[in-house]
Amino acid sequence: MSDKKIPLTGFSSLAIHAGHTDNSNYAHLTPIYASSTYVFDEAEQGMRRFSGEEKGYIYGRWGSPSTAEAEEKIAALESFAVMDEAGNALKLKAILHASGMAALSTLLISNLKSGDKILTHFSLYGGSQELVEKVLPPLGIEAIIVDLRDLNKAADIMKADDKIKMLYLETPANPTLQCVDIEALTILAKQYNLTVACDNTFATPYLQQPFKYGVDYVFHSTTKFLNGHGTAIGGVLLGKDLQKMNGHITKVHRLLGGNSNPFDAFLLTIGMKTLEVRMERHCHNAMEIAAFLEQHPAISKVNYLGLHSHPDYYTAAKQMRHPGAMLSFEMKGGLEAAKKFIDKLQMCIRAVSLGTCDTLLCHPASMTHFSVPKEKRELYGITDGLIRMSVGIENVQDILTDLEQALR
Ligand SMILES: Cc1ncc(COP(=O)(O)O)c(C=O)c1O
């Protein structure tokens, strides 16, 4: 077999080839390694693998060729054309998880301890919000949730409280599409020695690379655009401190047991190959749909980062290649109009989740953010008439026709 030796310079080439290793049976794609354990030629070899003296797979919870390929691919995409502080190509370690929430749990538990505080933005995915507000406090870790778009306020809070150890960002945020300035906040956080982590699920590395701005960790729900077809739940945690990632964080990941599996990793690997072409089409469709919704008389507000009317338009333009495929909009008729509209859809899918080829619509107040109290939801802009839309890659005219008839 010939080694692929030419340097790959394009994002799509890496998305297709990075992480792949040839296999002895000459299969084009890495097979699904449905094996819970790996064989040693002799006892000594097992010992060498455990001590780290020899590379090799040991046990399925610790990794497999299927999970390794997906991990290396996403690491290549998040670090694509990004330099480290010394001016060398950035090297990342990715750890695949069973879900985005599992990746977030590893991130939080391996970096925070009792007495620490985490500072975050007030518009987060509902599950992330519940995790930091309900699961962390009994462990002695307090969450401070504010509007991080106010940089002066963020600076005052960081300065006033040395118990804050982590700045946790999600941008764009679910479902209001609020954006925080990754670069400005990371510069601030580093003045106070905070660890900075960013949920990059909505953007994907094709649209936004938080490591460019000096963050320490990126995490994804790979369930979404990275998989792209809605075939598997998954998550990934990426970090640039390789020693810590290969040491403490790997240990915590293995012990918490939130590992992925070979089949889901295979589906993710296949999905990531088409990330660039899918994202281009997703974003193109989303822009047309946002423009249509913005002029529609039944709609009072459209949250889309490609519209000048979005308050975070400039922040998104600064740090994202395109404004993304997610949008949300408010029906003038409130909850009743929202329900009626959703029920009338014929091609677009009524479902939570996002990032699939198919267009998905949901009602955040009663679905993804059901557990967030109403007064908090409304403060975050999640009203009863708000609909969230993950714009798919169908023919845009068909999406428009479906929306048009459902809004009638
Ligand atoms: C922005 C964001 N982060 C994290 C998650 C959690 O990911 P998962 O459902 O894969 O655990 C989600 C799920 O919707 C999400 O939208």
Side-chain angles (χ1 to χ4, degrees), residues 284-296 302-307 327 389 391 400 403:
H284 176 267
N285 283 0
M287 190 66 230
E288 282 204 34
I289 286 158
F292 161 77
L293 293 171
E294 198 174 43
Q295 54 71 47
H296 199 284
V302 179
N303 301 312
Y304 182 60
L305 290 165
L307 297 176
L327 56 86
M389 184 167 181
V391 178
L400 289 168
L403 297 178

Side-chain angles (χ1 to χ4, degrees), residues 99-101 125 170 174 199 201-202 219 221 223-224 233-234 354:
S99 66
M101 294 312 291
Y125 163 61
E170 178 185 319
N174 187 352
D199 181 342
T201 301
F202 268 37
F219 107 89
S221 165
T223 315
K224 313 292 165 24
I233 300 285
L354 54 114

Side-chain angles (χ1 to χ4, degrees), residues 165-297:
K165 300 293 180 208
M166 182 183 279
L167 174 69
Y168 175 68
L169 311 175
E170 178 185 319
T171 182
N174 187 352
T176 53
L177 284 310
Q178 287 178 9
C179 282
V180 294
D181 187 328
I182 306 173
E183 184 176 30
L185 284 164
T186 304
I187 290 172
L188 262 180
K190 289 298 163 194
Q191 288 171 24
Y192 301 99
N193 280 327
L194 307 193
T195 298
V196 183
C198 184
D199 181 342
N200 203 26
T201 301
F202 268 37
T204 82
Y206 182 61
L207 300 184
Q208 173 174 281
Q209 292 171 289
F211 284 109
K212 254 192 206 165
Y213 308 109
V215 309
D216 301 290
Y217 297 98
V218 163
F219 107 89
H220 286 269
S221 165
T222 61
T223 315
K224 313 292 165 24
F225 293 100
L226 291 180
N227 170 296
H229 303 79
T231 54
I233 300 285
V236 69
L237 176 63
L238 298 114
K240 64 182 183 184
D241 181 340
L242 299 183
Q243 211 177 345
K244 190 165 175 185
M245 286 300 290
N246 286 313
H248 180 60
I249 312 273
T250 292
K251 177 74 95 195
V252 172
H253 166 245
R254 289 176 178 178
L255 293 176
L256 288 179
N259 55 288
S260 182
N261 65 78
F263 185 51
D264 290 353
F266 169 80
L267 295 169
L268 175 60
T269 294
I270 302 299
M272 283 193 285
K273 288 183 185 242
T274 55
L275 184 64
E276 176 172 334
V277 285
R278 282 189 287 108
M279 291 315 290
E280 284 290 337
R281 173 72 168 239
H282 275 298
C283 297
H284 176 267
N285 283 0
M287 190 66 230
E288 282 204 34
I289 286 158
F292 161 77
L293 293 171
E294 198 174 43
Q295 54 71 47
H296 199 284

